[in-house]
Structures are given as structure tokens and as C-alpha cells.
Amino acid sequence: MTRAIVLVLDSFGIGAAPDAARFGDAGADTLGHIAAACARGDCDLPRGPETGPSAGRQGPLHLPHLARLGLFHAHHASTGHWAEGVAVPDAVTGAWGHAAEVSSGKDTPSGHWEIAGVPVRSHWGYFLEEKNSFPAELLEVLVQEAELPGVLGDCHASGTEIIARLGEAHVASGKPIVYTSADSVFQIAAHEEAFGLERLYALCEVARRLLEPYNIGRVIARPFVGDATAGFTRTANRRDYSVEPPAPTVLQKLHDDAGTVVAIGKIADIYAHCGITRTVKASGHDALMDATLEALMDTGEHSLIMTNFVDFDMVHGHRRDVPGYAAALEAFDARLPELLDRLRDDDLLVLTADHGCDPTWRGTDHTREHVPVLALGAGLAPGSLGACETFADIGQSLATHLGLAPMDDGTSFLPPASSSTTLSNATGGH
């Protein structure tokens, strides 16, 4: 019996995908452009009394543990050049590769579902207008059913910018703030105290139902606190309301096979709670890593632990915060040995991403990029896995490792010997 651990470094792309031009993303490179900015000194932050992961970071991008797993080799294979200023190890300890996405979008659900073996080839619905983004009839019904005095926003916006701009008017009027982006998403921001957190969640559930005809991937509750004088701040009580994956993911297959699926961070929301045994909420990368380490200690065989490190995307990528993204990567890398030291010989560890979000790119949206596939354990020899034609290679490899029936998409990158975890598990033989 075996375990698998999947860490999703949300938005950590490693070079433009073959079809990036179709998305306006030709030349995007989240890792490469962060490394170049660090090498130029653009990400040097002053040393002083400030605290936090970004305080005082200096010099070239320093990711020694990810480098030993093969990160920079994967980036080189994706782009054809080495990232600027980084230290490339003489030898790697992990199996490394890069994967292209076959799903039609570059959004969070599509990327995660494809990682779990289920690409999204149909097209999501989008709200394309920058202003007056939502159909008037949709907002009218939402206001009526949720008994609202109206709504604010109705536009494309950054979440932090729009609460700064409309937070005071929201508190005064009781009207929630609704906004969207280039993703298939309907976001609702409201003050936890003035509007009420549970009321916000209930409102999102109404919106989720009303949006079914529009084929929108996610409704996101964006609670915040504060006031106009001190400023408004989003809280950790975000909640995503996703549609269900179009077919059983490897999470669902493991769950149905009496296995254990531990979803840490926003994983459960992304998969619409399908195939989840236990949900662990945590806010901030340190808390997410702590929860992952704790899960490793108390999760037994025939199990999958999956964690999403969201701040790479939400806090740094979308806000085009290059120094912050670099510092967050280095802080994550510094904690990796804690996890590596707790792995068992027969565990399979996979580090990957769900899309890119190049913080040097124009706009504030995701970028269509290759993602890293860094794997350790399960009989894998250090070295190149090559180019994966789909993120679903990860899901297929997880299915192989966990002794589940094969997924419809993807090719396992595990060596044949790992198939000794036979399909007896899939028939209840564990």
C-alpha cells in the first residue's frame, strides 16, 4: 500500500506553452522573469525592522532544494535557456519534466482537474466586458432572490483594488461588490461584520445556482474587514463554489476505493468537494506547509495528500509583485527539507502548478505556460521525465502508484516496477 503527496505551487509557470500566443501570452515565463529580475537587483528589498517572507530578500533567486529536485533543469527544457543568476546543481535527486495543458482555459479548476486526470476540453463561459460585465437580468434576479438593496462594481477588477475603491460605499449601502476577470469567475466581496460572513456564503450559493446557464466555473466569496480610515483587508475566509469535474478525478477514484484524500487549503473547493475525505483549511504558506507536515504524520496507506499554495498566485502573481513572489518561493524552498525528511521510501511526491501568472506580464491575469513536474520516490530514478503532453500525466501516474484503474487521459511517468502496486487495490484488495 502507498501514499502520494501533491503540492500545487499555484501559478508557478516555467515558460510559455506551445499555444501561448492564442491566449496573448507568447513569451510569458513566471520563473524565468522572476529570476531575471532578481539577477538585475530589481527584487532586492531593504533590510530593516519589517517582518514577513519578503523582508530583506537580496540577490539572485536562491532555490537550492527545488533546484536539486530538478526545477531549473525543467525550466531549461521548457524554454531552451537557463534561468538568469540561479545556481544549477551538478546533480539532481528528483525526476523532472515540464507539462503542457490541453484544457481549453488557463484557470484554476481546469488546471487542477487536468492534474487529477480530467482535462476540460469544453469551453467555459466568460464575462468579457470590462465595465457593466454582467447581464442585467442576472443581477436583477440575484438582487431579488437574495433580498439585496443592489450591487456595486459590475466590472473587471483586482480584488484588492476594488475593495479599496468601493469598500466604504459597500458598508454604507449594504450593497455587495460583484466583479470578475479574464477567468470564468463571478466574485462577491462583502464586509464580514457589516454584511455578515454567513450571509455572504448564502449569497454565493444563490449566485452559483443562477449562473448554471452561463457555464461559469467558479463563484468566489471574498470577505474583508476594516474601515475607510485604517483600510480594508481581505480575510482568510474566502470560499470557492465550483462546478463539479466532468468525470471522476483520481481523487474520486481513490475515495471510491476506500482510500483517504486529504485536501489542504482550497483543494476541496476547487474539486467541488468531490472525492474528498478530509478538508484542512489553512491560510498562508507556513500554515499550509504545517498542515501538510501534520497530515504526513497521521495519514496512513492508500492515501493522497494534496495542498494548494495559493499565495504565489493570489498575493503575488495577480498583483504583479515580483519581489514578493521571489521571496515567497525562497521561503517555500527553505521549508522543503522538513517535508522531504518525513517521506517514506514508497511515497510519491509531486510538485507542480496549475497555470502561470507571470508577475512581469501585462494585466493581472493568469498566463498560459508549461508547469513543472518534479517527482520523487515510487522507484523513480533521478533525471528527465521529458515533456508531458498534458497535466493528466500526473493523474495517470497517481492512479498507477495508488493501484487504481487507469484514467482516460495521460501517460504514467512511473517505471514499470511501480506497477507492483497492483489493481487489487481497485477491487478492494487493500
Side-chain angles (χ1 to χ4, degrees):
M1 244 49 82
T2 50
R3 303 188 304 176
I5 304 94
V6 177
L7 307 184
V8 181
L9 284 65
D10 199 311
S11 84
F12 189 40
I14 58 169
D19 60 354
R22 183 163 62 89
F23 295 83
D25 295 329
D29 183 355
T30 299
L31 170 57
H33 289 153
I34 292 171
C38 290
R40 292 193 303 268
D42 294 348
C43 294
D44 291 352
L45 297 173
R47 294 184 174 93
E50 298 86 358
T51 60
S54 300
R57 85 138 320 270
Q58 298 279 314
L61 187 63
H62 183 61
L63 304 174
H65 306 296
L66 285 166
R68 280 195 289 273
L69 290 177
L71 173 64
F72 297 136
H73 289 73
H75 176 260
H76 182 272
S78 167
T79 63
H81 61 264
W82 294 104
E84 292 183 42
V86 303
V88 179
D90 293 332
V92 297
T93 58
W96 52 269
H98 62 282
E101 187 170 9
V102 299
S103 294
S104 61
K106 54 179 179 176
D107 53 275
T108 294
S110 294
H112 278 77
W113 297 354
E114 188 168 331
I115 288 168
V118 181
V120 182
R121 293 184 171 89
S122 59
H123 290 275
W124 295 110
Y126 298 92
F127 298 113
L128 300 177
E129 297 297 325
E130 294 284 336
K131 297 181 179 179
N132 299 317
S133 301
F134 306 116
E137 59 271 21
L138 169 65
L139 295 181
E140 288 171 6
V141 176
L142 181 67
V143 165
Q144 179 181 359
E145 290 204 16
E147 299 180 350
L148 301 171
V151 296
L152 302 173
D154 188 13
C155 60
H156 282 228
S158 157
T160 51
E161 177 275 327
I162 201 167
I163 64 170
R165 176 163 54 91
L166 297 178
E168 185 175 12
H170 157 69
V171 172
S173 67
K175 299 176 181 179
I177 303 166
V178 297
Y179 61 104
T180 187
S181 70
D183 284 348
S184 181
V185 66
F186 186 98
Q187 305 194 68
I188 308 178
H191 198 283
E192 284 195 2
E193 297 161 1
F195 189 86
L197 184 59
E198 294 304 321
R199 186 183 176 200
L200 172 59
Y201 292 159
L203 172 59
C204 287
E205 290 176 2
V206 173
R208 174 72 276 170
R209 174 171 50 80
L210 295 178
L211 285 162
E212 287 182 9
Y214 297 89
N215 196 28
I216 299 300
R218 284 185 298 167
V219 173
I220 305 179
R222 293 288 197 176
F224 62 92
V225 293
D227 55 44
T229 302
F232 297 104
T233 305
R234 295 196 298 195
T235 75
N237 293 319
R238 161 184 171 157
R239 185 172 293 179
D240 293 36
Y241 299 81
S242 298
V243 298
E244 294 186 3
T249 65
V250 72
L251 285 70
Q252 186 71 61
K253 286 191 174 187
L254 179 59
H255 181 273
D256 292 348
D257 193 45
T260 300
V261 178
V262 182
I264 300 175
K266 66 175 188 175
I267 291 294
D269 287 347
I270 293 169
Y271 291 98
H273 295 262
C274 296
I276 306 300
T277 307
R278 180 158 60 96
T279 299
V280 181
K281 291 291 186 181
S283 177
H285 283 185
D286 278 333
L288 289 162
M289 182 63 81
D290 288 343
T292 305
L293 297 174
E294 185 175 344
L296 274 171
M297 296 297 290
D298 61 19
T299 302
E301 305 294 344
H302 205 45
S303 62
L304 169 63
I305 300 166
M306 192 170 187
T307 307
N308 175 283
F309 290 85
V310 66
D311 287 359
F312 293 124
D313 184 55
M314 180 179 71
V315 176
H316 306 298
H318 284 300
R319 298 182 190 178
R320 297 312 192 234
D321 173 16
V322 186
Y325 207 133
L329 286 169
E330 291 172 340
F332 176 89
D333 185 87
R335 295 207 62 184
L336 257 185
E338 298 175 60
L339 184 143
L340 298 176
D341 288 345
R342 299 190 189 191
L343 295 178
R344 302 172 187 169
D345 290 342
D346 60 350
D347 286 341
L348 172 62
L349 171 67
V350 178
L351 288 83
T352 190
D354 53 341
H355 48 69
C357 197
D358 186 339
T360 72
W361 208 243
R362 55 187 171 272
T364 61
D365 297 317
H366 296 154
T367 43
R368 183 77 162 190
E369 296 185 49
H370 287 133
V371 300
V373 180
L374 309 180
L376 191 68
L380 283 164
S384 175
L385 297 171
C388 299
E389 295 182 358
T390 167
F391 297 2
D393 286 5
I394 297 171
Q396 193 71 268
S397 301
L398 293 171
T400 299
H401 180 65
L402 295 165
L404 303 172
M407 307 298 295
D408 291 337
D409 287 272
T411 302
S412 174
F413 50 69
L414 296 185
S418 65
S419 298
S420 60
T421 308
T422 67
L423 288 180
S424 64
N425 287 347
T427 58
H430 60 278

